[in-house]
Amino acid sequence: MAKFITIMSGKGGVGKTTTSINLALAMHKTGSDVVLLEGNLSSPNISVHLGGTYFPVTIHDVMVGKHPIKNAIYEHHTGLRIVPADISVEAMQLVNFEELKKHVHDLHLYADYVIVDGSPGLGRESTHLIEMTDELIIITNPDPASLLDAKRLIDFAKRFNKIIIGILITKHKNKSYKLKPEEIERETGVRVIGMIPECKKFEMSLHHKKPYIHLYPRRKPSKEYEKLAGMLTGRVL
Ligand SMILES: Nc1ncnc2c1ncn2[C@@H]1O[C@H](COP(=O)(O)OP(=O)(O)O)[C@@H](O)[C@H]1O
Ligand SMILES: [Mg+2]
């Protein structure tokens, strides 16, 4: 049975897609069988981060029963397998989470881990994603606004009795005005499982449409994503 791990946040723009891609790739590099699934169907952007915006079969085709999920699995040149979404506005009308839930479970046949790039906030989409997943990783930046939204998401997710693996702090900076991991743990009651330093090179990664850990494997953020991948899979590089 594949384990579904969904990457979520209260606030938008904190680093969910960046984390989903780099964490999934780091897990793949440990030899684990991973698929990265686009779960942010209202504004999908895995394909923007990885290059290529047209895919003949997407999660939307699977949702409407046109194709089995295996036809929507693509191998990126890094070796990471992804299930992209249709980015057109028309495709948004096709979203039916009940159907999605039925079909994504077929991914059990193709992977040990499904990393789901989630949506921000506590809306309908997030509710369905929480229902669909086994476990959650909450992303926050070390500032009061992201933390407040992360707290709300954690309170919300607890109602579904899902395992919250922990909080990943992204865009971390050692500055007096930034929140410390201890403060974030104290405020949320959830453990911090990693800290990804803020790094300008993430912009270059987006520009080149290549995962950060693929472009900059020796930098600290890559090492931190690898550490987390090791913790999740029990395998190290
Ligand atoms: N550790 C980091 N340091 C600096 N910039 C980052 C970091 N992580 C993500 N970013 C940048 O933040 C922006 C939003 O990231 P993204 O992953 O798209 O967020 P979300 O999916 O939560 O909306 C992107 O420009 C991304 O390159
Ligand atoms: Mg995103």
Side-chain angles (χ1 to χ4, degrees):
M1 285 296 264
K3 188 186 278 181
F4 279 65
I5 301 175
T6 302
I7 312 299
M8 298 192 80
S9 68
K11 195 170 178 294
V14 292
K16 288 180 298 303
T17 305
T18 306
T19 294
S20 304
I21 290 170
N22 287 287
L23 179 62
L25 181 55
M27 290 167 78
H28 165 75
K29 284 168 73 181
T30 67
S32 304
D33 221 354
V34 185
V35 168
L36 172 62
L37 170 68
E38 178 66 80
N40 189 350
L41 300 180
S42 55
S43 74
N45 48 33
I46 284 178
S47 52
V48 177
H49 279 245
L50 289 179
T53 44
Y54 175 73
F55 296 90
V57 181
T58 65
I59 190 67
H60 287 84
D61 298 300
V62 177
M63 208 158 27
V64 298
K66 269 208 254 169
H67 283 272
I69 201 146
K70 80 169 168 26
N71 294 2
I73 304 176
Y74 297 83
E75 190 170 320
H76 186 251
H77 69 80
T78 52
L80 175 64
R81 290 178 304 152
I82 64 168
V83 177
D86 184 332
I87 60 168
S88 71
V89 174
E90 294 75 39
M92 265 171 49
Q93 328 294 145
L94 302 176
V95 174
N96 176 334
F97 279 96
E98 295 312 324
E99 288 301 315
L100 181 71
K101 281 177 206 158
K102 279 188 221 155
H103 295 292
V104 290
H105 279 96
D106 293 344
L107 282 173
H108 285 302
L109 301 170
Y110 307 102
D112 293 331
Y113 297 95
V114 179
I115 300 295
V116 185
D117 183 19
S119 49
L122 315 181
R124 206 179 127 252
E125 189 166 13
S126 299
T127 306
H128 286 293
L129 289 176
I130 296 172
E131 281 172 357
M132 205 169 85
T133 200
D134 299 305
E135 302 185 359
L136 287 159
I137 291 177
I138 312 287
I139 308 289
T140 187
N141 296 154
D143 63 70
S146 341
L147 176 61
L148 176 66
D149 287 349
K151 267 171 74 173
R152 297 181 67 235
L153 175 60
I154 289 164
D155 284 348
F156 186 62
K158 278 184 179 161
R159 300 181 181 183
F160 296 80
N161 283 326
K162 298 288 165 146
I163 295 169
I164 299 175
I165 299 173
I167 295 177
L168 181 69
I169 304 173
T170 50
K171 309 189 193 184
H172 175 255
K173 242 182 186 172
N174 258 330
K175 296 277 182 198
S176 58
Y177 56 86
K178 292 287 179 187
L179 294 170
K180 308 271 170 292
E182 308 80 66
E183 292 173 278
I184 293 178
E185 287 185 338
R186 199 173 51 239
E187 286 282 326
T188 58
V190 173
R191 69 179 176 146
V192 169
I193 51 170
M195 290 186 282
I196 311 297
E198 184 168 73
C199 174
K200 277 265 171 216
K201 297 280 185 198
F202 277 96
E203 281 175 23
M204 292 310 288
S205 146
L206 205 48
H207 172 71
H208 291 297
K209 302 194 185 308
K210 297 211 161 85
Y212 182 98
I213 68 163
H214 179 74
L215 286 178
Y216 309 106
R218 288 178 211 283
R219 286 184 175 254
K220 182 91 189 319
S222 300
K223 297 291 168 206
E224 290 301 311
Y225 278 123
E226 282 169 4
K227 213 157 83 184
L228 182 57
M231 192 196 100
L232 294 175
T233 60
R235 300 176 183 207
V236 278
L237 276 175

